[in-house]
Amino acid sequence: MGRSSIGSGPALAAAVLLFLAAAAQAQVKGEGSPPTVEQAREFLDEAEPRLLDLSNRQGRADWVSQTYITDDTEKISAEANQALIAVTMDLAKQATRFDALSLPEDLRRKLTLLKLAAIPLPAPSDPKRQAELTEITKWMEGVYGKGKYCRGPNRTECLDVNAVSRIMAQSRDYDELLDVWKGWHTISPPMRPKYERFVQLANQGARELAYPDLGAYWRSNYDMPPDAFAAELDRLWNQVRPLYEALHAHVRASLARAYPGKVPEKGPIPAHLLGNIWAQQWGNVYPLVGVPSTGPGYDLTELLKARKVDELEMVRYGERFFTSLGFEPLPATFWERSLFRKPRDREVVCHASAWDVDNDQDLRIKMCIEITGEDFVTIHHELGHNFYQRAYRPQPFLFRGGANDGFHEAIGDTIALSVTPGYLQQVGLLAKPPGSEGDLEFLMRLALDKVAFLPFGLLIDQWRWKVFSGEVPPSRYNAAWWELRRKYQGVDAPAPRSEQDFDPGAKYHVPANVPYMRYFLAHILQFQFHRALCREAGFTGPLHQCSIYANKAAGARLARMLEMGQSRPWPDALYAITGERQIDATAILDYFAPLKKWLDEQNKGRVIGWQ
Ligand SMILES: [Zn+2]
């Protein structure tokens, strides 16, 4: 999710920095006498347009660097990023000047958000270190984007992340899966020394803002004390854990049948057998998990291919869902400027993302779309960001953001939960939907993605928080990674690992420095949102059969929350859409209740959990 503006080039970026340094100096005057409300207002009135301008410059440079990876675009983007970070850090520090002042609520909230505005990457004030930090992050992202595993006798068949993902999804050849799994994990060891340095520098930046380390800074972004937030996560994980463990036990037993002698009866599952290079979503092993078929059923990938739906048309399906709820269509520039297809002639960061390049209406997605059901859902996910961004654009700059980052990630997924068989029939993709006897198949497919994801979503930042705090030193980076994967996911590395490896780096969000807890939150929130919107739509049946397609009342309820942006603490936004003030995992449990019942029957006599 980038934010945005144009390639000013090195000279202009340097000039901007000089100008800003001078402006910062001028502001130091007023110190000494206690600040006033009027000064706080003036400070914010000047800060917001400056941040907007630099954010736009950074967004444009970043867009170009991710859609045309070269040494030059990387450098230009790093410079724009550095310019934004430098000013953000400076303003964040200045904001503390008003800490003791009694202020109107909106000013107080803006100052708080300003102090957090350097998330995800606070930088040291020393310009040399700042430059080093932003260059390291750009470099790591570039290494990931260009990452390839070359196989075959002469290493001539080179697989990028999409090709790797395809093989992990489709192959059932144990040795091939193992080879590709090991191969992809060779892209990241070169990142290790850089990541170590990255941690030092980013921590230094966090400490300059008076946070103990980068992890504590990230955890402060949830309208509650960092420890209370960590406790909330534990509470939510304990709510969903029995559901996850039931799914895990059944999938493990199914894989043991498919790969005789290769899967332990009571231990963790080998990480390369779950249909995904990170074992984060397991939908691709659906055919192996033995759900009794009640008829032809349907496979979204096959439906899309059979109807010859192309990349653009997939995006149009997503857009039409939002317009059916009462939202305006996307602007023409969205269609002109987005990247939908992997270019043949240059390197790009294929990892899907949504952009609001000018913090206004220059919305875009960047995605190397493949004609699959998985990408159909991802498109809805990305468009959720775009519609959220457009809904809060009338807000002041500092309030243009998700109620928290988990909300931002949850919107498109909430919509995708309404992509039911009934909906697919309504839009002409499915001739005749299966009756409710097909529910078990539908729920299992979804659980393999959404429930399987939960512990993965939780552990990425558990690892980073420990790394940032120093609890996990560089000498234990990889060991600690696998301890967490065993503890939460119950999966294990399929090949011996050592500290020569850097397996966290083989997951995009680590080299790209994107915080990850948002995805765990989003996976809980989307079901809570779905339950609330279905209630608003007057739907009374089982939650998994509800689609809010074309329901204007549900759309209006959603819009009310989106338009708030981050102008209020997130419990207020949650209240606006659900009438509830606490994040609640009972919605996901309700949704999958019929599946849980079936899993419990299958698991009779089996070991639950892993040692
Ligand atoms: Zn997202």
Side-chain angles (χ1 to χ4, degrees):
M1 221 190 330
R3 289 209 158 165
S4 79
S5 200
I6 234 182
S8 42
L12 185 49
V16 166
L17 272 176
L18 273 176
F19 162 77
L20 292 164
Q25 290 228 314
Q27 266 173 358
V28 177
K29 284 189 290 178
E31 268 172 28
S33 51
T36 64
V37 174
E38 208 32 58
Q39 282 169 339
R41 196 183 302 278
E42 272 171 30
F43 167 70
L44 285 165
D45 284 349
E46 283 170 28
E48 286 191 284
R50 274 171 72 191
L51 286 172
L52 172 63
D53 177 59
L54 288 167
S55 164
N56 291 350
R57 289 171 193 278
Q58 187 258 343
R60 293 196 173 108
D62 202 23
W63 174 270
V64 174
S65 79
Q66 291 201 28
T67 56
Y68 204 130
I69 306 175
T70 69
D71 293 334
D72 295 322
T73 58
E74 256 174 38
K75 190 103 179 106
I76 290 165
S77 168
E79 275 157 357
N81 202 25
Q82 195 195 340
L84 175 62
I85 289 172
V87 171
T88 306
M89 288 296 291
D90 181 43
L91 292 170
K93 278 184 224 170
Q94 287 189 51
T96 57
R97 204 149 61 89
F98 305 100
D99 278 356
L101 184 64
S102 161
L103 284 169
E105 218 174 317
D106 62 324
L107 295 190
R108 174 52 62 206
R109 184 161 180 80
K110 280 188 182 178
L111 287 166
T112 302
L113 290 169
L114 186 49
K115 284 194 276 186
L116 296 166
I119 289 174
L121 190 59
S125 45
D126 170 29
K128 255 176 72 186
R129 291 185 174 186
Q130 244 171 43
E132 185 186 357
L133 178 58
T134 46
E135 273 163 33
I136 288 176
T137 51
K138 264 286 131 192
W139 180 86
M140 289 194 298
E141 196 173 350
V143 168
Y144 184 95
K146 287 179 277 197
K148 282 187 185 73
Y149 166 52
C150 298
R151 69 174 178 179
N154 300 313
R155 306 267 163 211
T156 45
E157 191 196 352
C158 291
L159 311 171
D160 63 8
V161 67
N162 274 15
V164 162
S165 297
R166 253 193 316 273
I167 292 166
M168 297 308 290
Q170 292 165 4
S171 174
R172 301 286 183 251
D173 176 338
Y174 186 95
D175 293 329
E176 180 184 35
L177 290 169
L178 183 58
D179 178 64
V180 171
W181 189 93
K182 287 199 280 194
W184 179 248
H185 288 80
T186 59
I187 69 152
S188 49
M191 294 173 193
R192 184 189 254 269
K194 297 273 190 185
Y195 197 78
E196 258 184 77
R197 181 67 179 148
F198 160 84
V199 170
Q200 288 171 354
L201 292 168
N203 272 342
Q204 199 183 329
R207 281 193 289 270
E208 286 187 23
L209 294 174
Y211 294 86
D213 62 75
L214 183 57
Y217 186 45
W218 287 4
R219 288 194 299 281
S220 301
N221 203 15
Y222 296 92
D223 295 311
M224 58 170 73
D227 289 351
F229 176 60
E232 274 296 273
L233 297 172
D234 286 342
R235 179 180 67 79
L236 294 168
W237 171 237
N238 283 321
Q239 271 187 299
V240 296
R241 202 168 141 170
L243 176 60
Y244 178 72
E245 289 185 349
L247 183 67
H248 179 280
H250 178 67
V251 168
R252 180 175 53 192
S254 307
L255 291 173
R257 259 198 311 275
Y259 300 98
K262 302 286 195 187
V263 180
E265 203 183 323
K266 305 173 180 174
I269 303 172
H272 64 312
L273 300 181
L274 288 155
N276 175 282
I277 187 69
W278 307 282
Q280 67 174 58
Q281 285 157 319
W282 306 347
N284 292 316
V285 299
Y286 175 82
L288 303 181
V289 300
V291 176
S293 175
T294 54
Y298 73 90
D299 177 324
L300 189 45
T301 300
E302 282 164 24
L303 292 178
L304 294 167
K305 288 189 170 147
R307 312 255 153 180
K308 302 212 171 8
V309 175
D310 67 5
E311 294 89 343
L312 250 79
E313 187 56 21
M314 278 172 61
V315 182
R316 289 210 178 87
Y317 272 108
E319 182 193 36
R320 281 196 293 267
F321 201 116
F322 283 90
T323 55
S324 87
L325 297 173
F327 293 91
E328 289 294 311
L330 290 161
T333 50
F334 171 87
W335 300 101
E336 294 156 14
R337 297 172 189 175
S338 288
L339 184 144
F340 300 121
R341 292 187 182 96
K342 183 179 165 65
R344 290 162 184 271
D345 59 343
R346 62 182 202 265
E347 301 282 359
V348 303
V349 180
C350 267
H351 188 89
S353 55
W355 298 62
D356 178 8
V357 178
D358 63 353
N359 288 284
D360 190 4
Q361 295 220 65
D362 192 349
L363 308 166
R364 307 176 194 178
I365 63 173
K366 173 186 68 60
M367 188 174 167
C368 305
I369 297 176
E370 312 226 342
I371 313 298
T372 64
E374 192 177 334
D375 276 8
F376 192 77
V377 169
T378 302
I379 286 166
H380 288 72
H381 173 91
E382 301 305 340
L383 292 182
H385 289 304
N386 285 150
F387 280 92
Y388 204 169
Q389 287 159 338
R390 192 168 54 181
Y392 58 59
R393 57 183 270 276
Q395 293 280 355
F397 176 75
L398 283 166
F399 291 160
R400 288 178 213 165
N404 68 40
D405 52 8
F407 279 61
H408 227 305
E409 298 302 334
I411 302 309
D413 285 10
T414 301
I415 299 305
L417 287 178
S418 282
V419 178
T420 57
Y423 162 76
L424 292 174
Q425 185 196 26
Q426 246 177 308
V427 297
L429 280 172
L430 186 59
K432 182 174 166 294
S436 57
E437 69 277 8
D439 282 11
L440 191 60
E441 293 163 73
F442 177 80
L443 286 171
M444 178 61 96
R445 279 183 199 278
L446 202 64
L448 287 171
D449 285 337
K450 304 274 184 182
V451 177
F453 178 79
L454 292 164
F456 187 80
L458 194 62
L459 75 84
I460 303 282
D461 281 354
Q462 303 279 8
W463 180 80
R464 273 192 291 207
W465 294 350
K466 287 175 200 281
V467 165
F468 295 150
S469 75
E471 187 188 328
V472 169
S475 62
R476 297 203 66 250
Y477 275 178
N478 219 54
W481 172 257
W482 284 103
E483 283 162 20
L484 288 164
R485 297 202 66 186
R486 271 189 289 273
K487 177 181 171 184
Y488 287 106
Q489 280 188 290
V491 306
D492 213 345
R497 310 314 285 161
S498 77
E499 295 302 329
Q500 302 303 307
D501 301 305
F502 186 55
D503 296 330
K507 170 70 189 164
Y508 170 78
H509 299 70
V510 173
N513 194 40
V514 180
Y516 210 75
M517 201 55 81
R518 57 184 62 170
Y519 300 106
F520 173 75
L521 292 173
H523 274 66
I524 307 275
L525 282 169
Q526 61 189 264
F527 289 93
Q528 196 174 358
F529 293 166
H530 180 68
R531 182 168 69 181
L533 294 175
C534 290
R535 201 189 297 142
E536 186 71 26
F539 186 85
T540 52
L543 260 190
H544 62 275
Q545 288 174 0
C546 166
S547 176
I548 61 165
Y549 181 66
N551 190 290
K552 298 286 191 294
R557 183 107 192 178
L558 176 61
R560 197 159 66 184
M561 192 267 276
L562 299 187
E563 285 158 12
M564 293 168 73
Q566 55 182 341
S567 62
R568 306 282 312 154
W570 65 258
D572 290 2
L574 184 61
Y575 186 81
I577 181 169
T578 65
E580 298 147 17
R581 295 192 155 274
Q582 198 180 36
I583 304 182
D584 182 4
T586 62
I588 187 171
L589 300 180
D590 285 356
Y591 189 98
F592 288 107
L595 177 70
K596 176 69 163 53
K597 195 165 157 261
W598 184 82
L599 286 171
D600 289 346
E601 281 161 23
Q602 306 304 307
N603 286 332
K604 273 185 194 145
R606 287 177 182 157
V607 174
I608 307 286
W610 50 88
Q611 291 140 352

Tab-separated table of all heavy atoms in Angstrom, residues 51-69:
chain	number	residue	atom	x	y	z
A	51	LEU	N	3.825	17.232	4.923
A	51	LEU	CA	3.839	15.774	4.866
A	51	LEU	C	3.122	15.274	3.618
A	51	LEU	O	3.558	14.319	2.972
A	51	LEU	CB	3.174	15.189	6.119
A	51	LEU	CG	4.009	15.289	7.378
A	51	LEU	CD1	3.182	14.863	8.592
A	51	LEU	CD2	5.263	14.415	7.270
A	52	LEU	N	2.035	15.922	3.281
A	52	LEU	CA	1.279	15.530	2.089
A	52	LEU	C	2.162	15.626	0.848
A	52	LEU	O	2.248	14.698	0.051
A	52	LEU	CB	0.039	16.420	1.939
A	52	LEU	CG	-0.755	16.254	0.646
A	52	LEU	CD1	-1.325	14.843	0.529
A	52	LEU	CD2	-1.884	17.276	0.565
A	53	ASP	N	2.853	16.747	0.716
A	53	ASP	CA	3.696	16.961	-0.457
A	53	ASP	C	4.794	15.907	-0.554
A	53	ASP	O	5.008	15.290	-1.594
A	53	ASP	CB	4.313	18.371	-0.386
A	53	ASP	CG	5.253	18.623	-1.543
A	53	ASP	OD1	4.795	18.533	-2.701
A	53	ASP	OD2	6.447	18.880	-1.310
A	54	LEU	N	5.481	15.674	0.560
A	54	LEU	CA	6.583	14.705	0.539
A	54	LEU	C	6.072	13.285	0.360
A	54	LEU	O	6.716	12.452	-0.279
A	54	LEU	CB	7.399	14.819	1.830
A	54	LEU	CG	8.253	16.080	1.894
A	54	LEU	CD1	8.778	16.305	3.296
A	54	LEU	CD2	9.412	15.983	0.908
A	55	SER	N	4.906	13.023	0.929
A	55	SER	CA	4.305	11.705	0.784
A	55	SER	C	3.966	11.439	-0.684
A	55	SER	O	4.179	10.339	-1.200
A	55	SER	CB	3.062	11.625	1.671
A	55	SER	OG	2.265	10.541	1.296
A	56	ASN	N	3.472	12.461	-1.360
A	56	ASN	CA	3.163	12.310	-2.788
A	56	ASN	C	4.425	12.079	-3.623
A	56	ASN	O	4.437	11.245	-4.527
A	56	ASN	CB	2.412	13.536	-3.305
A	56	ASN	CG	1.013	13.636	-2.722
A	56	ASN	OD1	0.533	12.702	-2.072
A	56	ASN	ND2	0.355	14.765	-2.932
A	57	ARG	N	5.480	12.823	-3.312
A	57	ARG	CA	6.742	12.622	-4.043
A	57	ARG	C	7.251	11.197	-3.842
A	57	ARG	O	7.690	10.529	-4.766
A	57	ARG	CB	7.820	13.583	-3.533
A	57	ARG	CG	7.583	15.008	-3.928
A	57	ARG	CD	8.566	15.938	-3.207
A	57	ARG	NE	8.129	17.307	-3.362
A	57	ARG	CZ	8.386	18.037	-4.458
A	57	ARG	NH1	9.091	17.509	-5.440
A	57	ARG	NH2	7.936	19.257	-4.556
A	58	GLN	N	7.175	10.781	-2.585
A	58	GLN	CA	7.661	9.449	-2.263
A	58	GLN	C	6.821	8.385	-2.973
A	58	GLN	O	7.342	7.407	-3.501
A	58	GLN	CB	7.631	9.246	-0.739
A	58	GLN	CG	8.272	7.972	-0.260
A	58	GLN	CD	7.251	6.916	0.096
A	58	GLN	OE1	6.082	7.207	0.290
A	58	GLN	NE2	7.691	5.683	0.171
A	59	GLY	N	5.512	8.594	-2.990
A	59	GLY	CA	4.620	7.620	-3.619
A	59	GLY	C	4.924	7.425	-5.094
A	59	GLY	O	4.970	6.298	-5.587
A	60	ARG	N	5.151	8.523	-5.795
A	60	ARG	CA	5.428	8.408	-7.242
A	60	ARG	C	6.767	7.724	-7.488
A	60	ARG	O	6.889	6.866	-8.357
A	60	ARG	CB	5.385	9.776	-7.904
A	60	ARG	CG	3.977	10.328	-7.883
A	60	ARG	CD	3.738	11.484	-8.843
A	60	ARG	NE	2.310	11.782	-8.827
A	60	ARG	CZ	1.782	12.874	-8.257
A	60	ARG	NH1	2.557	13.778	-7.711
A	60	ARG	NH2	0.475	13.039	-8.250
A	61	ALA	N	7.766	8.127	-6.692
A	61	ALA	CA	9.085	7.497	-6.855
A	61	ALA	C	8.997	6.001	-6.535
A	61	ALA	O	9.598	5.167	-7.213
A	61	ALA	CB	10.103	8.178	-5.947
A	62	ASP	N	8.225	5.682	-5.513
A	62	ASP	CA	8.109	4.296	-5.087
A	62	ASP	C	7.371	3.469	-6.146
A	62	ASP	O	7.738	2.337	-6.447
A	62	ASP	CB	7.353	4.261	-3.755
A	62	ASP	CG	7.628	2.992	-2.985
A	62	ASP	OD1	8.671	2.368	-3.231
A	62	ASP	OD2	6.785	2.632	-2.134
A	63	TRP	N	6.327	4.069	-6.715
A	63	TRP	CA	5.582	3.376	-7.772
A	63	TRP	C	6.516	3.000	-8.923
A	63	TRP	O	6.541	1.862	-9.384
A	63	TRP	CB	4.430	4.247	-8.275
A	63	TRP	CG	3.744	3.632	-9.457
A	63	TRP	CD1	4.050	3.820	-10.777
A	63	TRP	CD2	2.692	2.662	-9.432
A	63	TRP	NE1	3.244	3.040	-11.568
A	63	TRP	CE2	2.399	2.318	-10.774
A	63	TRP	CE3	1.961	2.054	-8.392
A	63	TRP	CZ2	1.410	1.396	-11.109
A	63	TRP	CZ3	0.978	1.141	-8.740
A	63	TRP	CH2	0.701	0.816	-10.066
A	64	VAL	N	7.302	3.971	-9.355
A	64	VAL	CA	8.206	3.715	-10.479
A	64	VAL	C	9.242	2.658	-10.107
A	64	VAL	O	9.546	1.759	-10.882
A	64	VAL	CB	8.900	5.021	-10.929
A	64	VAL	CG1	9.934	4.728	-12.002
A	64	VAL	CG2	7.874	6.010	-11.459
A	65	SER	N	9.747	2.724	-8.890
A	65	SER	CA	10.795	1.769	-8.528
A	65	SER	C	10.240	0.351	-8.416
A	65	SER	O	10.947	-0.608	-8.680
A	65	SER	CB	11.497	2.185	-7.235
A	65	SER	OG	10.725	1.848	-6.115
A	66	GLN	N	8.971	0.223	-8.029
A	66	GLN	CA	8.423	-1.125	-7.893
A	66	GLN	C	7.907	-1.695	-9.211
A	66	GLN	O	7.738	-2.904	-9.342
A	66	GLN	CB	7.283	-1.129	-6.864
A	66	GLN	CG	7.808	-0.881	-5.459
A	66	GLN	CD	6.845	-1.359	-4.395
A	66	GLN	OE1	6.063	-2.273	-4.591
A	66	GLN	NE2	6.874	-0.716	-3.245
A	67	THR	N	7.628	-0.808	-10.175
A	67	THR	CA	7.123	-1.306	-11.451
A	67	THR	C	8.206	-1.265	-12.534
A	67	THR	O	7.950	-1.538	-13.696
A	67	THR	CB	5.918	-0.479	-11.947
A	67	THR	OG1	6.308	0.895	-12.017
A	67	THR	CG2	4.743	-0.623	-11.008
A	68	TYR	N	9.422	-0.902	-12.145
A	68	TYR	CA	10.539	-0.853	-13.074
A	68	TYR	C	11.812	-0.894	-12.239
A	68	TYR	O	12.452	0.122	-12.012
A	68	TYR	CB	10.482	0.451	-13.899
A	68	TYR	CG	11.180	0.377	-15.229
A	68	TYR	CD1	10.539	0.798	-16.394
A	68	TYR	CD2	12.485	-0.110	-15.328
A	68	TYR	CE1	11.181	0.731	-17.630
A	68	TYR	CE2	13.129	-0.174	-16.543
A	68	TYR	CZ	12.470	0.249	-17.698
A	68	TYR	OH	13.104	0.177	-18.918
A	69	ILE	N	12.149	-2.081	-11.767
A	69	ILE	CA	13.277	-2.194	-10.834
A	69	ILE	C	14.601	-1.999	-11.562
A	69	ILE	O	14.985	-2.813	-12.388
A	69	ILE	CB	13.309	-3.571	-10.133
A	69	ILE	CG1	11.972	-3.880	-9.446
A	69	ILE	CG2	14.442	-3.630	-9.112
A	69	ILE	CD1	11.894	-5.280	-8.843
